[in-house]
Every structure is written in C-alpha cells, then in structure tokens.
Amino acid sequence: MRRLVLYSDQVIAANQRVDSYLLQLLGTHAARIGYISSSSDPKRQYFTAKQQYYQQYGLEALYVELDVEYKTDLLDPLFACDAIHLSGGNTYYFLYWLQQRGLMQRLQHYALHQGVLIGISAGAIIMTPEIASARLCGDTPYPPLTTYQGLGLVDFAFVPHIQDTPEDYARMQVFANHQQRVLYGCHDGDGIVVVGETVTLVGNVVTVTPTSA
C-alpha cells in the first residue's frame, strides 16, 4: 500500500501539520529516514539542516548521494530505512541521476510495498507521472536528461512554492489543460498525504482541473 508525503518545503512552522501525518505513518519516533540528496552536498549543509529537522521528532537520517560521492554499499541500508526522503533541488538533474543509478523501479517498489516515501519540492514532483511541472517553479532543464517520466506513484501533477498571483494561476491552468491532468499547487507549509487510494490535502492546496481538451 502506497504511503506518500509530498511537501512544498520543510522550512516554515506550518509544515508541522504535514509532519503530524508523517509521524502517524511512521508509527514510531525511533524511525530511520534515508535521505537521497538531489545533488552533491560536499559540506553536508543541506543534509545537516534536514538532520536537525528530523531530530526534533527523534528521527535519525542516513545520507546518500547519487552523483559525486555515490556509494553502492549504502543502497541496502537506504532501502532498509522506515522512510526515504527525496530532497529538493533541480528536478531534472535529480531525475537524471536516479535514472543513471537504476533506482526508479526500486523506489517504486519501496513506496508500494515497504516504507514511506517523502518528497520535498523536486522530490515530490518526481513522484508524479512526469516532471514537466518543474518548469512552473523555475527549474532549468538538464540537457543529458531525455526521459522525463517520474515514478508514477500518483496520477496528478504537483507544483511547489506557488504564490497567489493571477500569473501563477494562469500558468497552472494552461499546464493542467495541456497535460489533461489535475494539478495540485502547494504553498510553502502545504502538503499532500497519500495512503492507499486516499489523497489528503493539508493546508491551502490549490486544485487546478483541466477545462479543455
């Protein structure tokens, strides 16, 4: 049974609403989180911030990098964790390295049969059928990436960091119409929790439905 938590960010206090769902899914404060970095983090500054974020709930985190400091011996410990965290960053670059390391099918199996999958911004976009919505939040394409299919764990599209502007809403509507897919727009502090077939919108999530073929 799929157990997914999609965040726009994990920075502001409003995320505690989403965190409470995550803790319920984990079922324990002694859980271990496997953190997959979207790109090299040589000084571990982003990972350290995330360690501290999870430590407030008594959760431990394991660091895994895919590009520069890739270590195959960390994969089994990663997939033995109670949850896997797909970090924020450039969605196109992140997806490229997940593909290069052959982790897409393994992550799909993990999310459907093993543990909780957590996606932050880019990581959440990667859970969707394909990652075209990344351009709505300003991600720059990574030319070596030629296959844009995501994990396909949900049937909707996702865009983080939205602002309540006419321009944002117009872009989201055009995207939903073009993709013929529901698009959920998340402000920072919002999130989406998927358990089995139940999709729960946490916070002021904007639902954009296609209006034309």
Side-chain angles (χ1 to χ4, degrees):
M1 179 178 71
R2 60 182 180 168
R3 292 179 293 159
L4 316 171
V5 184
L6 294 78
Y7 288 81
S8 176
D9 77 312
Q10 274 185 335
V11 178
I12 65 176
N15 285 297
Q16 292 173 1
R17 299 171 300 185
V18 188
D19 295 342
S20 65
Y21 283 90
L22 172 61
L23 295 174
Q24 289 174 28
L25 292 179
L26 292 173
T28 173
H29 284 266
R32 190 164 173 79
I33 312 290
Y35 173 98
I36 304 181
S37 181
S38 63
S39 62
S40 181
D41 185 8
K43 295 184 178 180
R44 303 293 189 268
Q45 65 180 97
Y46 298 107
F47 175 62
T48 298
K50 214 49 61 180
Q51 268 187 312
Q52 294 170 350
Y53 187 91
Y54 285 125
Q55 282 172 353
Q56 68 179 319
Y57 299 115
L59 306 173
E60 295 184 4
L62 166 73
Y63 179 83
V64 175
E65 185 172 304
L66 302 179
D67 50 2
V68 179
E69 296 183 42
Y70 178 61
K71 298 176 181 177
T72 57
D73 59 352
L74 289 178
L75 293 183
D76 285 343
L78 169 70
F79 284 96
C81 288
D82 302 284
I84 289 178
H85 172 115
L86 302 177
S87 73
N90 183 292
T91 312
Y92 300 96
Y93 186 84
F94 196 4
L95 180 61
Y96 175 80
W97 282 106
L98 288 170
Q99 293 174 355
Q100 290 296 108
R101 301 308 185 191
L103 295 181
M104 296 297 283
Q105 287 188 335
R106 196 166 179 183
L107 281 169
Q108 288 168 331
H109 184 273
Y110 177 90
L112 295 173
H113 303 289
Q114 292 176 257
V116 179
L117 193 61
I118 305 163
I120 315 300
S121 190
I125 294 172
I126 286 172
M127 292 189 195
T128 68
E130 55 87 40
I131 65 162
S133 65
R135 69 175 184 264
L136 295 175
C137 55
D139 278 7
T140 303
Y142 184 59
L145 178 71
T146 57
T147 302
Y148 294 88
Q149 288 180 320
L151 292 168
L153 295 169
V154 296
D155 60 4
F156 55 80
F158 177 90
V159 60
H161 317 305
I162 68 165
Q163 306 293 320
D164 292 315
T165 66
E167 293 79 13
D168 252 14
Y169 283 102
R171 282 193 294 266
M172 289 191 291
Q173 188 65 65
V174 169
F175 180 89
N177 292 349
H178 182 264
Q179 297 289 326
Q180 281 298 288
R181 192 184 303 283
V182 170
L183 170 67
Y184 289 122
C186 276
H187 309 83
D188 288 348
D190 292 347
I192 301 173
V193 179
V194 180
V195 180
E197 298 304 310
T198 302
V199 177
T200 302
L201 307 181
V202 184
N204 185 27
V205 177
V206 176
T207 302
V208 184
T209 304
T211 57
S212 63

